[in-house]
Amino acid sequence: MGRIIALLLFLVAGYAQAQVRAELDSTKIKIGEELRYRLVVESDTTDLVQMPEGQTFLPLEVIESYPIDTSYNQQRQTLIKEYGLTQFDSGQYLIPRQRVVIGEKAFFTDSLLIEIEDVVVDTTKQKMFDIREKMDVGNRPASFGWLWILLAVAAIGFGIYWFLKRKKELEEAEELIPAYDEAIAALKALDDSPLSAQKGSKDYYSALTEIVKRYLDREVDATALESTSAELITRLQMHKDAGSFAFSDNMIRALDSILRRADLVKFAKQEIAQEIAAADRQEIEQVVNLTKEAIPEPTEEDLLEDLEYQEELRRKEIRKRWILGSLGGVAVILLAIVITANVMGYQNFKETFIGDATKEMLEEGQWYTSEYGNPLVILTTPEILYRVDMELPEGADAQIKDIEIFQLGEESDDLSVTVNVTEYNLAQQSDVKKLIDETLQIFEENGAQNLLIKDESFNTGKGLSGTRVFGSFNETKSNGKKGRKIKYEHYFFSQPGLLSQVRILYDGEDPYMEKVVKRITESIELEVNQGLPQIGGAQ
């Protein structure tokens, strides 16, 4: 037992000795410049080390993955892996944590914040040109690709429907002809056909047995067409024994003889004299006549049931036509909607026929100007924010006097507005940069992908200045894939002993939400905190 514990302690110690750290050659680069990201791994020489692969540094792009540089010191090894990163848009970016697997244990680096600076252009040395006048290029031509696909699908669907409908009409037309008349007409047609000159052939006997089987299928047994010769004779004998049909033994034996002879011709290629074939033709007509006589006359009850059955069929046919007509109408309407949306463009179609809730909220909805917290944060919003009850964390009352939070909507909604007013016991200035880093860290921990960060100073109408942090990210779906685009605006106003924050999250794919957010942010106003002495002015 002691050896096992010692071994476990040795393994734990081995893992504890493994170290992973990330380094940058610079925290500021110009747009398009290469940033060197270095991973330094120290581990036992027996450990298998797996470095990050692929585009794991988003929103930065990997432009070069350099070979691993390895050095050894007795039983230890140091691996240095460098990546060349870049970005083509200015702003602050958070390089996400990187995962390094050592043996069977995963290690994570710290996330690092970098700044991409614009390239300054000296306009005094560069030749400048006048701005060209606006050129009217006309409306963008509509894409009719989907239209042709839909028309092709509709044409194929109509063709299948017409074929099935035509086939059913022909089958129903055949059923309207009495079975006896159909059989006699078929025998006469066989006499007039070219096959009459080939009596005794395989094709002749196939046609002859098909006629009698079809007749029996309609009048006596619904399985006659699918039955073999032996099965058919057996079923006819069963109907006779049950008293359903008054078949004579001579008729059944005659039919059995003809069917056996037909099987020999069709499958054994036996030759039959034309005289025998002619006699079989006459015998088949006799079988049809005798079968007609053996069929009992329908009783009044049978006729009534048949009438009810026909009426039920008629009602079903009417219902079927109504359903098909309704489905056809719906298909036409859907096709018209798709064509119209394709020609007009989805956004114009939605606004014209369905309406846009965000546009209506912006142009027609009632907006409210309200005051939140103490000192006040004044805000104009489409709905009044509600107070969120929050208790101070244990031990926080030594520094924080009070926290007031007001909110509109949830973070998963198309629009979410939060106001946070924190009052401290002392006239201290909040570290806004640290607060920004913590906010961005929360975004990343909640699964934000492609996190884009920008910041600038912000000044309210009454001269109170603050910091505006804005950008965008993509949500992470439950399956780990990239979700919808979210944009954010976060305003920090630090006064002595007071921190006021306004945070807005909104759907980055809604064209009208930008105007809604602009109306909200332009209304931001704050009351200067008079409760504590001012230290160095507001910032």
Side-chain angles (χ1 to χ4, degrees):
M1 187 67 176
R3 292 182 178 180
I4 296 175
I5 294 174
L7 178 61
L8 291 175
L9 290 174
F10 174 77
L11 292 174
V12 171
Y15 277 129
Q17 292 173 2
Q19 296 181 2
V20 176
R21 68 179 184 273
E23 301 174 352
L24 294 174
D25 64 346
S26 175
T27 57
K28 289 185 179 181
I29 62 171
K30 301 291 185 182
I31 289 178
E33 282 186 348
E34 181 184 29
L35 171 71
R36 286 293 185 100
Y37 182 96
R38 183 181 299 105
L39 280 176
V40 181
V41 179
E42 296 180 2
S43 67
D44 192 271
T45 55
T46 60
D47 290 332
L48 177 64
V49 180
Q50 300 179 37
M51 297 290 190
E53 295 181 1
Q55 296 292 343
T56 61
F57 296 89
L58 293 175
L60 269 72
E61 179 181 346
V62 178
I63 57 175
E64 186 70 39
S65 177
Y66 295 96
I68 298 176
D69 183 14
T70 307
S71 60
Y72 299 94
N73 183 8
Q74 295 181 355
Q75 300 300 319
R76 302 287 293 171
Q77 64 178 357
T78 301
L79 289 79
I80 300 176
K81 171 72 173 179
E82 289 193 346
Y83 300 86
L85 311 179
T86 192
Q87 174 57 251
F88 298 96
D89 193 8
S90 61
Q92 289 185 329
Y93 294 88
L94 194 67
I95 301 177
R97 298 186 302 167
Q98 298 299 307
R99 180 174 180 266
V100 179
V101 179
I102 303 177
E104 296 182 355
K105 184 175 179 63
F107 292 81
F108 291 89
T109 66
D110 294 331
S111 56
L112 302 175
L113 187 66
I114 67 163
E115 184 176 352
I116 310 295
E117 297 179 333
D118 283 321
V119 177
V120 180
V121 179
D122 188 353
T123 57
T124 61
K125 297 181 179 179
Q126 182 177 358
K127 186 177 181 180
M128 305 299 290
F129 300 91
D130 292 335
I131 298 175
R132 293 188 177 183
E133 295 183 0
K134 182 172 65 175
M135 182 183 297
D136 186 8
V137 297
N139 295 327
R140 180 182 177 182
S143 172
F144 292 94
W146 283 104
L147 172 60
W148 294 117
I149 294 174
L150 287 172
L151 289 177
V153 172
I156 293 172
F158 178 78
I160 294 174
Y161 167 75
W162 180 87
F163 173 76
L164 296 177
K165 185 173 182 296
R166 181 62 178 166
K167 181 180 178 182
K168 184 176 181 182
E169 289 176 350
L170 292 174
E171 291 175 352
E172 291 176 350
E174 289 180 359
E175 292 179 359
L176 292 176
I177 302 174
Y180 176 78
D181 295 342
E182 180 190 27
I184 297 300
L187 288 171
K188 291 181 179 180
L190 180 61
D191 293 338
D192 297 334
S193 71
L195 290 177
S196 62
Q198 305 172 17
K199 288 183 175 67
S201 67
K202 174 182 175 180
D203 294 337
Y204 182 83
Y205 268 96
S206 295
L208 190 62
T209 54
E210 172 78 12
I211 292 170
V212 70
K213 281 189 174 184
R214 181 175 293 276
Y215 174 68
L216 294 173
D217 185 88
R218 290 187 60 184
E219 291 291 78
V220 178
D221 193 298
T223 64
L225 276 173
E226 292 79 19
S227 301
T228 63
S229 298
E231 290 172 347
L232 178 56
I233 295 301
T234 301
R235 293 187 66 81
L236 291 177
Q237 189 65 47
M238 290 172 58
H239 286 303
K240 175 183 179 298
D241 296 341
S244 302
F245 298 92
F247 297 136
S248 66
D249 292 333
N250 290 335
M251 187 210 80
I252 294 178
R253 282 195 295 270
L255 180 59
D256 184 27
S257 176
I258 295 172
L259 292 177
R260 289 176 183 274
R261 195 155 38 248
D263 288 342
L264 290 174
V265 175
K266 290 188 289 185
F267 304 115
K269 298 181 180 181
Q270 181 174 328
E271 295 183 1
I272 301 295
Q274 290 198 4
E275 294 78 9
I276 297 175
D280 288 342
R281 153 66 179 85
Q282 297 303 320
E283 192 63 41
I284 286 294
E285 184 171 352
Q286 185 66 14
V287 169
V288 172
N289 290 328
L290 292 174
T291 302
K292 182 176 184 297
E293 294 173 1
I295 297 174
E297 291 292 330
T299 63
E300 185 175 345
E301 184 178 349
D302 293 335
L303 292 173
L304 183 61
E305 289 180 357
D306 186 62
L307 286 174
E308 291 177 353
Y309 177 71
Q310 295 297 330
E311 180 63 22
E312 180 63 24
L313 287 180
R314 189 183 68 83
R315 287 195 292 266
K316 286 183 178 180
E317 184 63 24
I318 292 174
R319 285 197 298 269
K320 182 179 179 182
R321 290 180 180 178
W322 271 104
I323 292 172
L324 290 175
S326 301
L327 291 176
V330 171
V332 170
I333 293 173
L334 290 176
L335 182 61
I337 290 174
V338 172
I339 293 173
T340 305
N342 190 62
V343 173
M344 294 180 61
Y346 174 74
Q347 188 62 36
N348 290 335
F349 177 83
K350 177 184 175 184
E351 294 174 12
T352 304
F353 296 99
I354 302 175
D356 190 292
T358 309
K359 183 180 180 183
E360 293 173 0
M361 175 178 64
L362 180 66
E363 298 178 353
E364 303 174 10
Q366 184 176 359
W367 285 59
Y368 306 88
T369 301
S370 301
E371 301 172 343
Y372 303 97
N374 182 28
L376 300 176
V377 176
I378 303 169
L379 210 61
T380 300
T381 53
E383 295 182 27
I384 298 176
L385 280 63
Y386 57 88
R387 181 184 292 272
V388 179
D389 295 329
M390 178 179 177
E391 296 183 1
L392 289 176
E394 186 176 350
D397 53 356
Q399 295 182 350
I400 300 175
K401 181 179 180 182
D402 189 25
I403 296 179
E404 294 181 277
I405 299 177
F406 304 86
Q407 189 167 336
L408 167 62
E410 302 294 334
E411 292 185 1
S412 58
D413 295 340
D414 291 342
L415 175 65
S416 170
V417 182
T418 304
V419 173
N420 184 323
V421 179
T422 304
E423 190 173 1
Y424 298 95
N425 292 321
L426 301 176
Q428 61 188 29
Q429 291 286 135
S430 299
D431 187 348
V432 175
K433 181 172 177 55
K434 181 180 179 182
L435 290 171
I436 294 173
D437 292 341
E438 291 175 353
T439 301
L440 300 177
Q441 187 70 29
I442 291 174
F443 281 158
E444 186 185 36
E445 291 175 354
N446 289 336
Q449 300 183 35
N450 302 334
L451 183 60
L452 178 62
I453 310 156
K454 295 184 180 181
D455 65 81
E456 63 184 18
S457 60
F458 179 82
N459 199 289
T460 67
K462 294 184 179 180
L464 186 63
S465 62
T467 301
R468 174 194 178 213
V469 180
F470 59 101
S472 64
F473 59 86
N474 289 98
E475 291 180 324
T476 300
K477 296 182 178 179
S478 57
N479 58 7
K481 293 185 177 180
K482 184 172 67 175
R484 65 170 181 163
K485 184 178 183 180
I486 301 296
K487 291 187 177 181
Y488 65 90
E489 299 265 351
H490 204 138
Y491 297 83
F492 298 86
F493 300 95
S494 177
Q495 302 180 59
L498 180 70
L499 175 66
S500 301
Q501 302 179 61
V502 178
R503 190 191 69 174
I504 305 173
L505 298 175
Y506 61 99
D507 184 357
E509 299 170 356
D510 189 330
Y512 290 102
M513 196 61 77
E514 292 273 1
K515 297 180 180 179
V516 170
V517 173
K518 183 179 179 182
R519 182 171 176 180
I520 295 174
T521 56
E522 288 179 346
S523 71
I524 296 176
E525 192 56 72
L526 287 90
E527 179 184 26
V528 176
N529 186 14
Q530 303 294 341
L532 293 170
Q534 304 294 305
I535 300 177
Q539 46 172 302

